[in-house]
Amino acid sequence: MKKFLLLGILMISVVSFSEILTGSFVSKIHQISGEVSLETTGKEITISNFTYDGNGKNVYLILTKDGDFKDMKIISKELKKGYVNETLTLKVNNLQKLIDEGYNTVSVYTKTNKSTFGDASLSEVQ
């Protein structure tokens, strides 16, 4: 009986509490739009209704801390085409750790110009 009690306590202590974070892209150029969502204990970021005209060079989806590119994490392959209201599912290793470290913004980023075409700040669903 004691073994089962200890096992139960151990299982409860390792269970992480999950939050759902969401955000909507605010477009700067290239017709960026879409809604971002993720579960903090998951390994995927979903972008629904994603639109991008495809006219940028060296464009990627990235995670940043409040839009600061210094420690950005690239989370997609290069975006080489346009998208119209598509759903993208991005697998991100260590997603929970990145969120815990303060990564809270998804951006459509061009390496060529070192700037974004649009950003989505993530916040907890109320």
Side-chain angles (χ1 to χ4, degrees), residues 1 9 16 20 25 30 33 70 78 80 87 93-94 97 102 106-107 111-112:
M1 180 69 166
I9 292 170
S16 297
I20 296 175
F25 279 106
H30 293 292
S33 65
K70 182 179 72 172
E78 185 176 358
K80 295 183 177 184
T87 297
N93 292 330
N94 301 317
K97 180 180 176 191
V106 177
S107 300
K111 284 183 171 182
T112 300

Side-chain angles (χ1 to χ4, degrees), residues 15 42 55 61 65 82 94 96 108 119 123:
V15 172
N55 292 325
L61 290 159
K65 297 177 183 179
N94 301 317
Q96 183 173 2
V108 181
D119 307 294
S123 59

Side-chain angles (χ1 to χ4, degrees), residues 3-44:
K3 289 181 183 178
F4 290 114
L5 180 59
L6 289 174
L7 182 60
I9 292 170
L10 179 63
M11 289 178 66
I12 290 171
S13 66
V14 298
V15 172
S16 297
F17 291 99
S18 178
E19 295 176 325
I20 296 175
L21 303 179
T22 63
S24 296
F25 279 106
V26 175
S27 181
K28 295 177 182 178
I29 57 174
H30 293 292
Q31 301 173 354
I32 301 299
S33 65
E35 292 78 42
V36 179
S37 66
L38 63 92
E39 188 171 340
T40 57
T41 58
K43 297 179 191 270
E44 295 181 341

Side-chain angles (χ1 to χ4, degrees), residues 36 38 45 60-76 90 92-96 98-99 102-109 120 122:
V36 179
L38 63 92
I45 295 175
Y60 298 85
L61 290 159
I62 64 168
L63 270 176
T64 66
K65 297 177 183 179
D66 296 318
D68 183 358
F69 306 134
K70 182 179 72 172
D71 293 322
M72 71 178 170
K73 304 294 183 191
I74 296 173
I75 57 173
S76 74
L90 308 169
V92 180
N93 292 330
N94 301 317
L95 180 59
Q96 183 173 2
L98 292 171
I99 297 300
Y103 287 86
N104 61 1
T105 304
V106 177
S107 300
V108 181
Y109 179 80
L122 302 173

Side-chain angles (χ1 to χ4, degrees), residues 78-90:
E78 185 176 358
L79 303 181
K80 295 183 177 184
K81 67 174 187 123
Y83 298 83
V84 177
N85 295 326
E86 294 187 38
T87 297
L88 304 179
T89 302
L90 308 169

